[in-house]
Amino acid sequence: MGDDTLLCVPGEPNSIDAVREEEDENPSELPSEQNSVNNRQMGGRKPRNIARDLKDKMRFLRRRHTDSSLRDTADKLDCDKSSLVQESGESDVRKWSDCFENLLHDKTGLEAFRKFLQTEFSDENIEFWLACEEYKTLDTSVLERRAQQIFEDYVTIQAPREVNLDSRTRLETTANVNHPDENTFDHAQKRIEALMEKDSYPRFLRSDIYQKLLKEFIKKSK
């Protein structure tokens, strides 16, 4: 029998089991020391707690930014409404609800509608419509340059202020820009006007902007 053989003595615990029990009672201190170092580096917090804290902080920052943006928009809107009330003296605000065309061809009504679309983050539609109106009045010598600019700003895919056009209208307008004339954007403009009339115009008539202007107009008319 070799010298390394462990003997089992009657009445005594098995030597191998005794060694294992001793190891269980006195685990290696290296992991514990490493955990202590990690805990000191993380301020005594577990990685999961740190991740949760970071997530909560990012959520708070996003909410604060959103709230700040909404407050700025609300403050600007209140200022705009006060200005519009002063300017609406010469406009018959009641006629704006008769038809969309009355609204678009009234200077104060157009500006009020424009401010409303800004609150909905869809003012690119009215800006495109106005650009098309202005385009029709230009001298033929500048049509090509201006047509390209409007196309790149509003019509082409992923334009900075891309408007919502169906593929057929977009392709037709793209072809028109290659040979521009005063009617280059007519079809696209009509599509966007129809979209605003169907979607944004009814909401505008129910908005605080219009209702306040209407009440002020009726009050002055009495």
Side-chain angles (χ1 to χ4, degrees):
M1 185 178 297
D3 294 338
D4 294 336
T5 303
L6 295 177
L7 298 178
C8 294
V9 181
E12 295 294 333
N14 184 286
S15 300
I16 296 176
D17 293 338
V19 171
R20 288 175 179 170
E21 289 177 2
E22 183 177 356
E23 289 177 349
D24 291 341
E25 293 176 358
N26 301 284
S28 172
E29 296 183 358
L30 180 58
S32 177
E33 293 176 356
Q34 185 64 44
N35 289 338
S36 299
V37 172
N38 291 339
N39 286 337
R40 285 196 299 271
Q41 290 176 345
M42 295 184 292
R45 292 178 295 170
K46 295 181 179 179
R48 184 178 300 176
N49 292 337
I50 293 179
R52 185 167 59 247
D53 291 346
L54 288 173
K55 185 177 181 180
D56 291 342
K57 186 173 183 179
M58 291 300 296
R59 186 184 297 114
F60 169 76
L61 291 174
R62 285 196 299 269
R63 184 170 64 250
R64 185 172 66 179
H65 174 73
T66 301
D67 292 345
S68 177
S69 298
L70 289 174
R71 284 195 299 271
D72 291 344
T73 300
D75 293 343
K76 185 176 185 300
L77 182 57
D78 288 339
C79 180
D80 291 338
K81 283 194 288 187
S82 299
S83 177
L84 287 170
V85 167
Q86 296 175 0
E87 296 175 359
S88 64
E90 299 179 0
S91 298
D92 190 342
V93 180
R94 293 170 299 184
K95 291 184 178 180
W96 299 353
S97 62
D98 290 345
C99 67
F100 190 45
E101 187 176 352
N102 285 353
L103 176 67
L104 291 179
H105 291 89
D106 183 288
K107 181 179 178 180
T108 305
L110 179 61
E111 186 61 21
F113 186 57
R114 191 177 187 178
K115 298 297 183 185
F116 168 74
L117 291 181
Q118 288 176 356
T119 68
E120 292 202 331
F121 304 101
S122 61
D123 55 312
E124 70 276 359
N125 291 324
I126 194 63
E127 297 296 343
F128 172 69
W129 188 88
L130 288 169
C132 293
E133 286 290 286
E134 179 255 354
Y135 174 81
K136 298 172 186 177
T137 68
L138 297 177
D139 188 88
T140 55
S141 62
V142 297
L143 286 182
E144 182 175 356
R145 178 174 56 82
R146 183 57 177 150
Q148 189 64 37
Q149 183 178 3
I150 293 174
F151 177 79
E152 292 177 356
D153 287 346
Y154 299 100
V155 179
T156 188
I157 298 295
Q158 296 184 343
R161 312 212 69 199
E162 181 181 353
V163 292
N164 187 14
L165 294 172
D166 60 276
S167 58
R168 178 176 297 182
T169 302
R170 197 182 302 276
L171 287 173
E172 176 187 308
T173 306
T174 301
N176 291 343
V177 169
N178 292 326
H179 307 283
D181 59 23
E182 65 275 11
N183 302 313
T184 297
F185 297 101
D186 282 0
H187 190 192
Q189 183 185 21
K190 289 178 182 177
R191 295 287 294 183
I192 295 303
E193 182 176 333
L195 178 65
M196 291 191 294
E197 182 175 11
K198 179 181 178 181
D199 187 39
S200 303
Y201 177 55
R203 290 200 301 275
F204 167 75
L205 295 178
R206 297 191 299 267
S207 70
D208 290 341
I209 294 178
Y210 176 70
Q211 292 300 323
K212 182 174 182 178
L213 292 173
L214 181 61
K215 288 179 181 178
E216 290 294 329
F217 177 82
I218 294 174
K219 184 187 297 185
K220 292 179 180 179
S221 300
K222 290 181 179 180

